[in-house]
Amino acid sequence: MSGVLTTLGIDGYAFLWHTLNFIVLIGLLYKFLYTPVVGLLDERTRKIEESLAAAERAQAEVARADRERDELLTNTRREIQEMMATAQQVAERIQSEARTTASTEAQRIIETARQEADAERAQAMAELRREVASLAVQAAERIISRNLDDQAQRQLVDEFLDERPTQAGRA
């Protein structure tokens, strides 16, 4: 083989020495350059994967927070609707109670007015009776003051007695 190498113009010892140097260089490069670079690249890959995982977790957390916010908004809107419905019912109940109270008060006022009117009418009737009685007494005094004959006096008494039961039935 050394003949082929010399024909090609290659020195066998130099070739062996260069090959050995190349293998040592490859070994040294592997140990001091390739392994740390691959380690750095692996570390970089791991950090990127962690960052991606953290980003996915953050995105999931944001999505969860959005869902919670939406649920909270939905619940709040529902509670507001319930409060408004309750307030509407309370307002209607208060209006109904106010109408009932006003109606009751109006009935009471009307009844009081009727009672007062009845009392005034009764008082007016009593005054009228007193007036009529007074006028009747005055008329009777005038009639009695006249001299009536016996026949006229009896007729007057009979008429009075005949009218008396009718008046008692009216009073």
Side-chain angles (χ1 to χ4, degrees):
M1 191 171 283
S2 91
V4 176
L5 290 175
T6 31
T7 324
L8 291 175
I10 298 178
D11 181 13
Y13 291 111
F15 179 72
L16 186 60
W17 183 252
H18 287 296
T19 304
L20 183 64
N21 280 336
F22 184 72
I23 291 173
V24 169
L25 179 66
I26 294 293
L28 289 174
L29 285 176
Y30 181 80
K31 181 172 177 145
F32 292 109
L33 186 63
Y34 180 75
T35 305
V37 168
V38 168
L40 288 174
L41 291 176
D42 287 343
E43 180 67 22
R44 177 79 174 159
T45 302
R46 185 186 61 78
K47 285 182 181 179
I48 290 172
E49 288 173 352
E50 286 177 0
S51 295
L52 288 174
E56 287 175 3
R57 284 192 305 272
Q59 190 175 14
E61 183 66 26
V62 166
R64 184 187 61 76
D66 285 345
R67 282 192 309 273
E68 286 178 0
R69 186 201 60 210
D70 290 343
E71 288 175 13
L72 183 62
L73 284 172
T74 302
N75 290 338
T76 303
R77 286 185 182 126
R78 182 180 43 80
E79 288 174 5
I80 288 171
Q81 290 296 328
E82 289 173 0
M83 286 179 181
M84 289 180 71
T86 302
Q88 182 67 27
Q89 290 172 352
V90 167
E92 288 172 0
R93 182 177 50 82
I94 288 171
Q95 286 177 347
S96 175
E97 289 173 359
R99 283 187 198 112
T100 303
T101 303
S103 176
T104 304
E105 184 66 19
Q107 289 298 326
R108 187 189 64 75
I109 290 170
I110 290 170
E111 186 59 33
T112 302
R114 276 191 195 134
Q115 289 173 354
E116 289 175 1
D118 288 345
E120 287 178 14
R121 187 170 48 100
Q123 183 181 0
M125 290 298 286
E127 284 183 31
L128 183 61
R129 282 189 186 126
R130 281 193 302 272
E131 246 344 275
V132 168
S134 175
L135 288 174
V137 168
Q138 288 175 0
E141 285 176 355
R142 285 186 188 165
I143 291 173
I144 292 176
S145 69
R146 281 193 287 159
N147 288 332
L148 294 177
D149 62 347
D150 195 30
Q151 176 70 23
Q153 285 180 0
R154 282 190 190 155
Q155 185 182 357
L156 185 61
V157 170
D158 285 339
E159 287 176 7
F160 177 75
L161 290 176
D162 287 339
E163 290 178 14
R164 189 71 181 148
T166 307
Q167 288 177 353
R170 280 191 231 156

